[in-house]
């Protein structure tokens, strides 16, 4: 090779008659670092003649001999998939010997030896004069990988020189080996018998001119014979790679477990894995409810005490005391939105704990556990993703069904996503949990998540058997991210992103809902009282709620204050709390300044409506909240994804399921109690 | 068995991870990873990052800060 590569200025190449050494290797194997170490600052960059591929070339002094070094673009193999790889392919396998480099230095990453060996397996099939520079030895050593260099050289059939361009070690050995190879002028070893067999059986450049070993036909679909030869060659090469790795590294026999693998064996095991996942989630709920409770009480006192008093005093000072404005601000916005904002510390803590689990890589393993469960029940494997997303928020959960390739799978999964216990429901679960279950609040919330999982599985199984008995699942493999120590930046960033979403809901749709509820509570149903001067039970809101309440008699929570909150919950689940707060603030204004009084009033109501069985009634209400339509935003997302017909079917399914489950929980619970 | 065959059969048979395949076939994981990357390179496998099309910060699988997240590998014939 004498012409094209030496087109640079004289000081960056060794002249037109000098030998040419090409450096090739996969991206990120240290190719350019080696090139810079060999050539120093004397480097020229430019497009290779007739191409748009940028190539660096420089001068390397090998004792008395100066050679031109070309840094070819990164190439994983000699089967070109890009112009960069095409250039490497053409230069190494070009039929014109004058165009070939006199010597090729192939880089192999010692920390990922198997990855580097495919290119080497192809190069050794040709009469190419090459030397292997084994880089990344320091990283390999850190990972406990040891490579027998002599055995590797024997297996490859070419000299192997351990080199660390970053620390400039091994460069002299590389120079000596390169010098010997250049003097010899041909490969130190002839291509081995198995390598020649591959060469003889393929339509390579040496045999047919330009087409390499025809691997591109896998993609372009041209020529089945070519494709089969290519696949057979790839299989032969990988068989050689497997033998070489086994013979030359310190882990020759079978599957060697890393720390991550050992952890994965436990946390993703079919039986133990789900139990560990449930245990982890139980701890998360326990920590959340126990640690955040004092902060929640403090905020409750702030909203129901000083903040309400200051607002009343302020309005009184400007002559608006006792007017509709005081009702809207104090009994509406402060009572309603304030009740929701008391959950900010709880949600923040929950989001931080979940972000820690995510950033460590554990939640990816939980996805694996969920995926296994989906497949056991015959649901599409990929469906686990929308469900896991749905546990954060049902709206992106519904949108995530787009990843499913089959329409039936999308509809089925869309119908099931609303049964996932989203974080909006979590606020209501925690409130009811702390009111009715005291120290067991965390466990009560955890049980709701368990019921949610079982509901998805059960409903999924039923719907599939009923509507899509021939649904086919697509096998897939999960590419799990490695475990890592969570970082403060990412944990804080993820937690804040979600907390911001919660605050946006509280300050957006909940404020509007609170105003709408206040308006309905101010309008007299009989038309006799004035606006804002009506008893809340006689308002349009109260009368409508009382009309629906009898439907819930068998569930144990048939009080109009609760059923009206559940109806408002159609808008957003957080609105259940704000509606309760508004209703009780108006119904019993004398007690709304007592901290924790909202919980006490709900407990009294449930005790009354359940005939003295408040615990089963509370459980029934939690299950009802879990199973019925999550929010209008989810409905809108469903209409967008699966159309109005299936969305309405889903709403009917959710309401019937929610009511039946609530009745079952209350009636059975009452009997047990 | 050949590493390429192990990975392709593993995907077809519903193995969940490369580690499972390595364990079942008693093969070095690094060789199966190289085989997986070769199959991705030649288009016989397709890798899809598992991030939802929309995000409101509610997805526990999405990541910020450019860290790699969960992805799936599927046979190319399944996605066409």
């Amino acid at each position: 090779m004498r012409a094209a590569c030496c087109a640079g200025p004289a000081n960056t190449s060794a002249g037109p008659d000098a030998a040419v050494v090409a450096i090739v290797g996969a991206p990120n194997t240290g190719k350019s670092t080696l090139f810079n170490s060999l050539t120093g600052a004397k480097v020229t960059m430019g497009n290779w003649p007739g191409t748009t591929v940028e190539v660096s070339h420089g001068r390397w002094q090998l004792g008395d001999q100066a050679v031109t070094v070309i840094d070819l673009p990164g190439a994983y193999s000699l089967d070109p998939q890009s112009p960069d790889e095409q250039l490497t392919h053409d230069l190494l396998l070009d039929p014109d010997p004058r165009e070939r480099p006199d010597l090729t230095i192939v880089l192999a990453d010692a920390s990922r030896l198997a990855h580097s060996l495919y290119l080497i397996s192809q190069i050794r099939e040709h009469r190419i004069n090459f030397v292997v520079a084994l880089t990344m030895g320091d990283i390999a050593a850190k990972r406990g990988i040891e490579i027998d260099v002599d055995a590797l050289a024997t297996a490859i059939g070419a000299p192997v020189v351990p080199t660390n361009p970053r620390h400039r070690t091994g460069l002299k050995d590389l120079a000596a080996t390169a010098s010997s190879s250049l003097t010899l002028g041909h490969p130190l070893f002839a291509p081995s018998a198995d390598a020649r067999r591959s060469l003889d059986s393929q339509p390579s450049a040496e045999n047919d001119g330009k087409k390499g070993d025809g691997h591109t036909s896998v993609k372009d679909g041209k020529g089945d014979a070519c494709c089969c030869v290519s696949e057979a060659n790839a299989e032969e090469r990988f068989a050689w790679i497997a033998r070489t790795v086994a013979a030359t590294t310190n882990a020759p026999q079978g599957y060697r477990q890393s720390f991550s693998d050992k952890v994965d064996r436990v946390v993703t095991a079919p039986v133990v894995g789900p139990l560990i996942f449930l245990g982890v989630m139980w701890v998360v709920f326990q920590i959340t409810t126990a640690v955040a409770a004092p902060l929640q009480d403090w905020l409750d006192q702030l909203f129901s005490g000083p903040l309400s008093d200051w607002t009343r005093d302020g309005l009184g000072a400007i002559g608006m005391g006792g007017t509709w404005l005081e009702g809207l601000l104090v009994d509406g916005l402060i009572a309603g939105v304030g009740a929701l904002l008391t959950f900010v510390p709880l949600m923040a803590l929950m989001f931080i704990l979940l972000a820690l689990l995510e950033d460590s890589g554990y939640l990816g393993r939980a996805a694996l556990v969920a995926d296994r469960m989906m497949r056991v029940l015959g649901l599409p494997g990929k469906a686990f993703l929308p469900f896991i997303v749905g546990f954060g928020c049902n709206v992106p959960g519904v949108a995530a069904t787009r990843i499913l390739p089959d329409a039936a799978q999308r509809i089925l999964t869309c119908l099931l996503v609303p049964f996932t216990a989203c974080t909006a429901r979590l606020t209501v679960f925690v409130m009811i949990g702390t009111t009715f279950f005291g120290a067991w609040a965390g466990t009560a919330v955890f049980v709701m998540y368990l019921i949610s999982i079982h509901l998805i599985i059960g409903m999924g199984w039923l719907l599939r058997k009923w509507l899509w008995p021939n649904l086919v699942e697509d096998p897939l493999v999960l590419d799990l991210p490695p475990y890592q120590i969570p970082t403060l930046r990412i944990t804080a960033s993820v937690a804040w992103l979600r907390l911001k979403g919660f605050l946006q809901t509280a300050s957006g749709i909940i404020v509007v809902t609170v105003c709408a509820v206040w308006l309905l509570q101010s309008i007299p149903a009989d038309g006799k009282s004035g606006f804002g001067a009506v008893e809340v039970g006689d308002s349009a809101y109260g009368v409508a709620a009382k009309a629906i309440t009898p439907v819930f008699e068998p569930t144990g929570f048939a009080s109009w204050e609760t059923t009206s909150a559940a109806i408002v919950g159609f808008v957003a689940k957080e609105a259940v709390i704000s509606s309760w707060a508004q209703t009780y603030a108006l119904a019993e204004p004398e007690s709304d300044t007592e901290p924790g009084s909202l919980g006490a009033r709900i407990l009294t109501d449930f005790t009354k409506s359940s005939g003295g069985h408040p615990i089963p009634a509370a459980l029934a209400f939690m299950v009802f909240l879990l199973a019925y339509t999550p929010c209008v935003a989810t409905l809108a997302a469903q209409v967008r994804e699966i159309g109005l017909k299936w969305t309405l079917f889903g709403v009917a399914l959710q309401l019937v399921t929610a009511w039946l489950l609530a009745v079952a929980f209350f009636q059975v619970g009452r009997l047990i109690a | 068995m050949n590493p390429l065959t192990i990975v392709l059969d593993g995907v077809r048979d519903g193995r969940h991870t490369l580690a499972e395949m390595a364990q079942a076939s008693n093969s070095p994981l690094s060789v199966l990873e190289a085989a997986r990357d070769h199959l991705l390179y030649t288009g016989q496998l397709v890798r899809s990052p598992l991030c939802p099309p929309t995000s409101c910060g509610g997805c526990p699988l999405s990541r910020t800060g450019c860290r790699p997240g969960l992805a799936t590998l599927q046979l190319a014939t399944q996605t066409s």
Side-chain angles (χ1 to χ4, degrees):
Chain A
M1 186 179 195
R2 296 290 176 271
C5 62
C6 304
N11 66 339
T12 59
S13 69
D17 296 324
V20 174
V21 176
I23 301 178
V24 300
N28 304 317
T29 50
K31 207 164 48 61
S32 296
T33 314
L34 177 64
F35 174 78
N36 291 332
S37 299
L38 299 181
T39 58
K42 294 174 182 173
V43 173
T44 301
M45 291 178 74
N47 286 355
W48 189 262
T51 71
T52 57
V53 180
E54 196 172 61
V55 171
S56 303
H57 55 269
R59 178 192 170 104
W60 184 21
Q61 194 66 39
L62 290 173
D64 297 336
Q65 187 187 10
V67 298
T68 298
V69 189
I70 319 167
D71 181 16
L72 292 177
Y76 161 76
S77 78
L78 294 179
D79 311 321
Q81 304 276 349
S82 67
D84 286 10
E85 290 185 338
Q86 186 70 52
L87 176 65
T88 304
H89 166 272
D90 290 349
L91 276 178
L92 295 184
L93 303 184
D94 196 292
D96 183 355
R98 288 172 305 172
E99 290 291 310
R100 264 189 201 173
D102 299 287
L103 177 70
T104 302
I105 298 176
V106 190
L107 270 72
D109 181 346
S111 66
R112 303 172 81 225
L113 185 62
H115 282 80
S116 302
L117 286 177
Y118 192 78
L119 177 63
I120 292 172
S121 75
Q122 287 183 301
I123 288 176
R124 67 191 279 275
E125 290 165 3
H126 300 268
R127 282 206 160 270
I128 294 172
N129 192 14
F130 77 102
V131 169
V132 175
L134 191 64
T135 59
M136 309 286 179
D138 49 345
I139 297 172
K142 276 183 193 166
R143 294 179 188 169
I145 300 169
E146 289 170 20
I147 294 172
D148 183 337
V149 176
D150 293 335
L152 185 60
T154 305
I156 292 173
V160 175
V161 184
T163 310
N164 190 332
R166 274 183 299 148
H167 298 128
R168 303 188 64 80
T169 57
L171 297 182
K172 281 184 183 170
D173 292 342
L174 185 62
T177 309
S179 192
S180 303
S181 297
L182 281 169
T183 306
L184 207 59
H186 59 77
L188 288 177
F189 308 93
S192 60
D194 58 334
R196 284 304 309 175
R197 263 200 310 280
S198 293
L199 176 64
D200 295 341
S201 64
Q202 63 186 288
S204 71
E206 288 180 0
N207 295 334
D208 70 359
K210 273 287 177 189
K211 197 62 183 155
D213 61 1
H215 212 125
T216 46
S217 60
V218 171
K219 284 205 118 174
D220 60 24
K222 290 175 191 167
D224 290 344
C226 205
C227 179
C228 291
V229 168
S230 169
E231 285 177 10
N233 286 339
E235 285 192 5
E236 271 191 44
R237 287 170 193 141
F238 265 98
W240 174 78
I241 290 170
R243 285 197 305 275
T244 304
V245 168
T248 61
T249 64
N250 61 339
Q253 298 303 317
Y255 170 56
R256 184 170 178 263
Q257 286 187 323
S258 64
F259 171 75
S260 184
D261 296 332
K262 284 174 186 165
V263 175
D264 276 348
R265 274 198 79 176
V266 180
V267 300
T268 63
V271 178
V272 179
L275 292 176
I276 291 176
F277 175 64
L278 293 176
V280 167
M281 293 315 292
W282 181 81
V283 170
V284 167
F285 291 129
Q286 279 299 112
I287 292 174
T288 305
T289 49
V291 175
L295 287 168
Q296 204 175 351
D297 288 344
W298 180 82
L299 280 173
D300 187 22
Q301 287 174 28
L302 178 72
F303 285 115
S304 57
L307 200 60
S308 297
D309 294 341
W310 294 336
T311 309
R312 278 199 192 92
D313 293 347
L315 288 171
I318 58 171
M320 297 293 286
T323 65
W324 63 270
L325 186 61
E326 183 183 306
L328 174 62
L329 290 179
V330 178
D331 299 328
L333 290 173
I334 294 177
V337 181
L340 194 58
L341 290 180
T342 61
F343 286 88
V344 168
L346 184 140
M347 301 308 282
L349 189 59
M350 165 78 81
F351 292 147
I352 288 169
L353 292 173
L354 290 179
L356 284 171
L357 288 177
E358 281 168 45
D359 203 27
S360 68
Y362 176 70
L363 274 196
R365 274 72 187 173
L368 184 74
V369 171
D371 175 46
R372 190 176 278 127
M373 209 152 59
M374 295 289 123
R375 291 198 210 177
V376 166
L377 287 152
L379 290 170
K382 234 176 178 178
F384 74 87
L385 176 74
F387 295 133
I388 288 186
V389 175
F391 276 105
C393 173
N394 285 183
V395 178
V398 167
T401 57
R402 285 180 215 163
I403 63 165
L404 298 170
D406 182 75
Q409 290 179 354
R410 273 198 301 277
I411 295 169
L412 172 60
T413 313
C414 250
L415 291 174
L416 295 176
V417 166
F419 292 116
T420 53
C422 62
T423 47
R425 289 166 168 123
L426 178 68
T427 50
V428 194
F429 290 159
V430 170
M431 190 200 172
I432 299 173
T434 47
T435 301
F436 289 87
F437 301 96
W440 293 91
T443 305
V445 176
F446 172 72
V447 167
M448 286 302 119
Y449 276 76
L450 275 184
I451 292 171
S452 173
I453 292 168
H454 284 90
L455 200 52
I456 293 163
I457 293 170
M459 289 305 292
W461 187 82
L462 272 175
L463 286 173
R464 195 187 157 175
K465 290 283 173 197
W466 176 27
L467 297 171
W468 296 283
N470 300 317
L471 202 62
V472 179
E473 62 168 303
D474 294 330
L476 56 87
V477 170
L478 285 173
D479 209 5
L480 293 172
Y483 284 109
Q484 55 203 358
I485 297 170
T487 63
L488 182 65
R489 185 178 65 84
I490 290 181
T491 302
S493 162
V494 172
W496 168 242
L497 196 68
R498 291 183 190 146
L499 188 63
K500 199 167 74 173
F502 177 74
L503 290 171
Q504 278 169 347
T505 306
S507 61
I509 194 164
I510 299 301
V511 169
V512 174
T513 308
V514 161
C515 291
V517 168
W518 172 82
L519 192 65
L520 289 171
Q521 289 178 341
S522 303
I523 297 171
D526 56 8
K528 291 175 186 168
S529 312
F531 179 80
V534 64
E535 284 289 321
V536 66
D538 297 327
S539 68
Y541 179 87
V543 170
K546 283 174 184 171
I548 295 165
T549 299
V551 176
F552 295 97
E553 282 296 342
T555 65
F557 54 82
S559 78
W560 71 267
E561 291 90 342
T562 296
T563 51
S564 60
I567 293 164
V568 178
F570 266 98
V571 178
K573 282 292 163 283
E574 298 95 329
V576 171
I577 294 175
S578 60
S579 300
W580 258 334
Q582 278 181 277
T583 303
Y584 287 117
L586 283 171
E588 300 169 54
E590 69 283 354
S591 62
D592 65 355
T593 54
E594 293 168 21
S597 57
L598 179 59
R601 280 173 279 181
I602 292 170
L603 179 61
T604 306
D605 245 5
F606 270 67
T607 305
K608 191 175 160 191
S609 62
S610 64
H613 301 288
I615 300 292
L619 273 174
F621 188 61
M622 288 167 91
V623 171
F624 186 81
L625 282 174
L626 172 68
Y628 90 102
T629 310
C631 62
V632 286
T634 302
L635 286 180
Q638 280 188 309
V639 171
R640 201 168 49 238
E641 299 299 330
I642 57 174
L644 184 63
K645 190 184 81 175
W646 282 112
T647 303
L648 291 176
F649 172 79
V651 172
L653 184 74
Q654 292 149 18
L655 286 173
V656 171
T657 307
W659 189 84
L660 287 174
L661 280 175
V663 171
F665 266 79
F666 176 66
Q667 297 300 337
V668 174
R670 194 178 59 153
L671 288 175
I672 294 170
Chain B
M1 200 192 287
N2 189 279
L4 292 175
T5 315
I6 291 170
V7 175
L8 286 173
D9 287 353
V11 176
R12 279 194 202 100
D13 296 346
R15 296 262 178 215
H16 289 81
T17 60
L18 280 186
E20 269 189 33
M21 295 178 203
Q23 207 178 339
S25 62
N26 199 28
S27 303
L29 185 59
S30 66
V31 175
L32 294 195
E33 283 171 347
R36 170 203 60 194
D37 290 349
H38 177 81
L39 292 168
L40 287 169
Y41 176 82
T42 55
Q44 295 171 74
L45 278 184
V46 178
R47 185 178 196 276
S48 318
L50 276 179
C51 272
T54 61
S55 177
C56 72
C59 170
L61 295 175
S62 65
R63 284 170 179 250
T64 55
C66 300
R67 289 215 188 182
L70 198 64
T72 64
L73 300 175
Q74 279 183 285
L75 295 173
T77 49
Q78 288 172 219
T79 58
S80 59

